[in-house]
Amino acid sequence: GWLIKRADPALAKPLPGTRLLRRLAMPAAAAVDVVRPEDPGADTSEWLLRLQRMPEIAYAEPIGSVKLLAAPASNDPELPKLQHLDQIGALTAWSKVHDQLDLTIALIDTGVDLDHPDLKNNLVAGTNLVSPGKPPEDDNGHGTAVAGVLAGEGNNKEGIAGILWRAKLMPIKALDADGFGDEERLGKAIVYAVDHGARIIVLSVGLYRYSPYLRDIVQYAESKGALLVAASGNDGLALGSKAEVKYPAAYATVLAVAGVDADGKPEPRSNAGPEIDIAAPWHVYTTALGGGYKHEEGTSMAAPQAAAAAALVWAVHPGYKPYQVRALLRQTAKDIGKQGVDDASGHGLLQIDRAVTGVLRADGYEPNDTRQTAHKFPLGKRIAAELAGGQDKDWYTIDAPYDGVISLQIQGLLSGGETTPILQMTHVVGGVVQGTKVTKLGNQTVEWNVKKGRNEFELHYFDSTAKQRLPYLLTSSFEIAPDSYEVNDKQYQAFTLKPRSQQVKGNFHQTGDRDWYAIHFETGGTLKLSLSTDSARIDPALAFGRQGATLQEIDENSEGETESSEPINVTPGIYYIRVHNGMSAQAGPSAASYTLHIELISKYTDPNEPNNKAYEATGVAKGSDYWGVMGAGDADWYQLRLGSESVLSVQVTGIPSGIRMKAEVFDKRQKPLFTLQSAKNETGMVKEQRVQAGLYYVKVTASGSFDRQYYGFRMDAEQVVAGFRDITGHWAADTIIALSKEGIVEGSGNYRFYPNRSITRAEAVSMLVRALNPSASAGPGFTDVTSKHWAYASITKASGTGWVGGYPGGAFGPGKPITREEMAVILLRALQLNSARPYAASFKDVKLTRWSAPAIQTMKQKELLGGYPDGSFRPEQTASRAEFAALLLRAMNM
């Protein structure tokens, strides 16, 4: 039909030679009719021209067809099989851009089928590093599959369409027919690609070993403006929690790509880790050797999808730097895993349509101005952000996998002529500031000692009034702290282990780290060793042997897999065990741990026998460990001689399950002093008691015999002086002894004076009252000191003398520590010394106007107290029990 609009709806009379089909409802007073010629055989052109010339007709035109404004559809027949394109928004993105001929993309793999009809027109000259001089022809199929995902020619009526319809793809063959290569060749391939103009380099390859060589190559590529995109690995199910993001994907500036399943959820077979940037479909349909097509899967197929997305972003934004391309892909990804950045999918599922139409935010981590809004900073990555001025604060959280050192490289992105601002970074854990550092360079790395777990960092201008906006790059890295057995890198440094079944947890914190252990067996037995790890970045390697003999090596399995020995028959003597990361002779440090399992299956003999009678008692050294077993009806006797009054401690450990043990302590006349008795299922027991100088015996017995586990035995003693065990050698020992003789200080239930502990108000008042014995009557009471309080009498008497007062509200604060200036004031009042406002400061930190200045000046003049070598008094520092005792003794001797 045709559409006819009348100039005046009131003149809507029938038109000659025209049949009205319907009248359209139109806004206002317009009238539009759908008509056709009354004569089906009429010349429609002449008929329509006649209508257009009639004055009462505003217009007459044929009804045209309307087409849905969808993305341009590729005419490739296999397109319906490419379901992954829907998941990542590629079909929609094609409505804006689908070609990239302004830059070269290098594909480092097994080569490419150079004659494949869906690839050959998108290929440029490459190279073959496996067989130099030959073309980079694919003899495996992997590289061809990756190439099809990336740049299978689109809209050519052939097979499939890659994300890039037309591209300049440089094939570099670095892997052989079996898919293997080495890091040297991989590094050469990256350098070749960069030096021959590639802006994007696709690496669907990887290894678990950290390589400083490859790290340097990756940094070289970044410095030349090239973006590396790599697969994370496919061992998620095979290795479970041990799987890590493989290198080179795990390097800070490489775009690491994980996999998702057909439902858009993280693929469990994909390697996870904090280094993941984004995820893309795991399963694809792509090109195959010989001109064919096939289904393929793995993160190897996910990586080229991200690389193609980066190419399209560069087509829209040719001036972007690699870090900006990475940032835009992260910012436009679809969150699919745990909320926010997660180890399985990074920032989320790749969304190419969003990436090519989105606007790059200068700081995609805002709002993060407070500790509560801190943004997760994945460890081992480089991010781009911005400080908007002196009032802006950027907070980040980093999860440290172990104790160690987090390094943060801050690189300011300054425009020409701008000066480098001074920045301040603060490290916070659990709301407590751990440290603050200032950076004065445009590119500076700061290091932080951290504990395992959540660490928070705040970055802001040192000058809060600054107006300058500062884009910056922030790169994080981590070094694990040495384990508790270091230094044990050489055989002569071997850490000595006790001859028993046990587990030893360690790590390889430095390049080429080797950990040595030694065990001295007193008896023969059967030993079994195994070495496991929590990460595929460690290939456990184990060696063992008797002193003087050649070590037996065990390294049969691969990354992350446990190595185990056959049962080893050992005889009395020293055996050495060595463990290392078998990735290579100089394997780099790894943020992972290993566990050395030592199983000793033997009949233990008691090295202290015979000691079944008191006269056979084993003489022990104070504070040393001894080991034994118990036979049927056995009793083990030990003896220790003490040269002075002491607190004697007896300890038994390693009590086997189901066994109860008893330790009876006797003096030299065999008079019982005290007994230790273990409870049911108790593995240890300890008891101490004050004793005089002399010889002491301990008889150890058990409810049953055992010879497959040692029990431990230790006797220790601390000398008691004036009733105290903790003043020997202390600077105030003579003072405390003198006060003890006068009954002014007393020991506690555990015979300790605690000389370095802050003295409380109740303790100070009690010592004063005992020393000076005032005759005043009791003063007013306090709300927090009842008659049942241990210092009640002293506090009320001191209050009556006017020595001390309370706080507003009627409290005394008996447990509150007193400061050095409070100590001076209390002593001044107790001694009834006159004081006046000093004319000159006694100490550099005691101003003349300070409330305590008169008391401090008077006490100094009386030579009752002094300051510190630097001329300070430190009035607000709490006074120790030793300091108060010394001051009190001086006052008593005035």
Side-chain angles (χ1 to χ4, degrees), residues 160-179:
I160 56 100
I163 296 171
L164 298 176
W165 287 8
R166 277 167 285 281
K168 294 166 66 176
L169 185 60
M170 176 194 295
I172 299 178
K173 182 172 176 60
L175 306 180
D176 60 23
D178 295 321

Side-chain angles (χ1 to χ4, degrees), residues 89-240:
L91 301 179
T92 307
W94 285 348
S95 65
K96 183 174 181 65
V97 61
H98 47 64
D99 297 339
Q100 175 53 283
L101 295 171
D102 294 330
L103 59 79
T104 299
I105 305 170
L107 174 57
I108 299 176
D109 214 289
T110 59
V112 173
D113 183 345
L114 303 178
D115 297 318
H116 198 293
D118 241 354
L119 297 174
K120 62 183 180 180
N121 292 333
N122 282 344
L123 299 178
V124 297
T127 189
N128 188 330
L129 300 179
V130 177
S131 300
K134 293 184 179 181
E137 191 70 58
D138 190 1
D139 50 7
N140 175 278
H142 187 269
T144 298
V146 175
V149 175
L150 177 69
E153 186 177 359
N155 210 38
N156 65 343
K157 299 182 180 180
E158 289 278 357
I160 56 100
I163 296 171
L164 298 176
W165 287 8
R166 277 167 285 281
K168 294 166 66 176
L169 185 60
M170 176 194 295
I172 299 178
K173 182 172 176 60
L175 306 180
D176 60 23
D178 295 321
F180 289 97
D182 58 50
E183 61 193 80
E184 178 187 5
R185 192 188 299 154
L186 183 59
K188 289 174 61 177
I190 295 173
V191 171
Y192 178 92
V194 172
D195 291 348
H196 286 77
R199 290 289 305 282
I200 299 175
I201 301 171
V202 187
L203 298 152
S204 288
V205 298
L207 67 160
Y208 280 117
R209 190 173 80 85
Y210 172 84
S211 166
Y213 161 75
L214 274 183
R215 178 204 60 202
D216 292 344
I217 297 292
V218 166
Q219 291 175 350
Y220 170 75
E222 181 82 2
S223 70
K224 294 298 184 180
L227 174 66
L228 272 62
V229 183
S232 70
N234 308 326
D235 301 325
L237 283 182
L239 294 178

Side-chain angles (χ1 to χ4, degrees), residues 738-819:
L739 292 177
S740 177
K741 290 179 179 179
E742 298 292 332
I744 296 171
V745 296
E746 299 176 350
S748 62
N750 59 0
Y751 313 107
R752 296 185 188 276
F753 182 73
Y754 299 108
N756 298 323
R757 192 177 69 187
S758 298
I759 190 166
T760 66
R761 286 167 58 83
E763 290 171 336
V765 166
S766 295
M767 290 171 65
L768 270 174
V769 169
R770 293 194 197 106
L772 304 181
N773 192 25
S775 58
S777 59
F782 299 99
T783 58
D784 54 353
V785 180
T786 67
S787 59
K788 295 181 179 180
H789 192 280
W790 67 271
Y792 173 78
S794 296
I795 292 172
T796 55
K797 183 176 286 190
S799 173
T801 63
W803 295 353
V804 293
Y807 293 100
F812 178 73
K816 183 179 179 180
I818 65 171
T819 63

Side-chain angles (χ1 to χ4, degrees), residues 265-312:
K265 298 178 181 178
E267 168 57 54
R269 289 172 289 180
S270 174
N271 288 20
E275 303 92 345
I276 295 296
D277 288 293
I278 54 175
W282 166 278
H283 185 89
V284 300
Y285 187 71
T286 185
T287 49
L289 284 179
Y293 304 89
K294 65 175 181 178
H295 291 278
E296 192 60 82
E297 61 184 18
T299 56
S300 291
M301 302 300 119
Q305 298 174 55
L312 293 179

Side-chain angles (χ1 to χ4, degrees), residues 496-500 518-523 571-575 710:
T496 301
L497 302 172
K498 290 181 169 44
R500 56 185 173 85
I519 302 178
H520 187 188
F521 292 100
E522 299 285 351
T523 62
T571 55
I574 297 176
Y575 283 76
Y710 280 125

Side-chain angles (χ1 to χ4, degrees), residues 29-101:
V32 176
D33 294 338
V34 179
V35 301
R36 71 181 183 188
E38 189 173 27
D39 180 6
D43 184 345
T44 54
S45 298
E46 182 180 344
W47 172 80
L48 185 60
L49 181 61
R50 187 171 66 250
L51 291 177
Q52 290 172 338
R53 290 174 179 173
M54 296 177 65
E56 63 267 37
I57 301 301
Y59 61 74
E61 62 181 35
I63 298 176
S65 61
V66 178
K67 184 178 181 181
L68 177 68
L69 292 178
S74 168
N75 60 16
D76 302 279
E78 301 282 13
L79 191 64
K81 295 182 180 180
L82 307 183
Q83 297 177 6
H84 66 281
L85 297 179
D86 284 324
Q87 287 183 273
I88 58 176
L91 301 179
T92 307
W94 285 348
S95 65
K96 183 174 181 65
V97 61
H98 47 64
D99 297 339
Q100 175 53 283
L101 295 171

Side-chain angles (χ1 to χ4, degrees), residues 115 369 454 780 850:
D115 297 318
D369 301 323
R454 179 185 174 101
R850 192 175 186 91

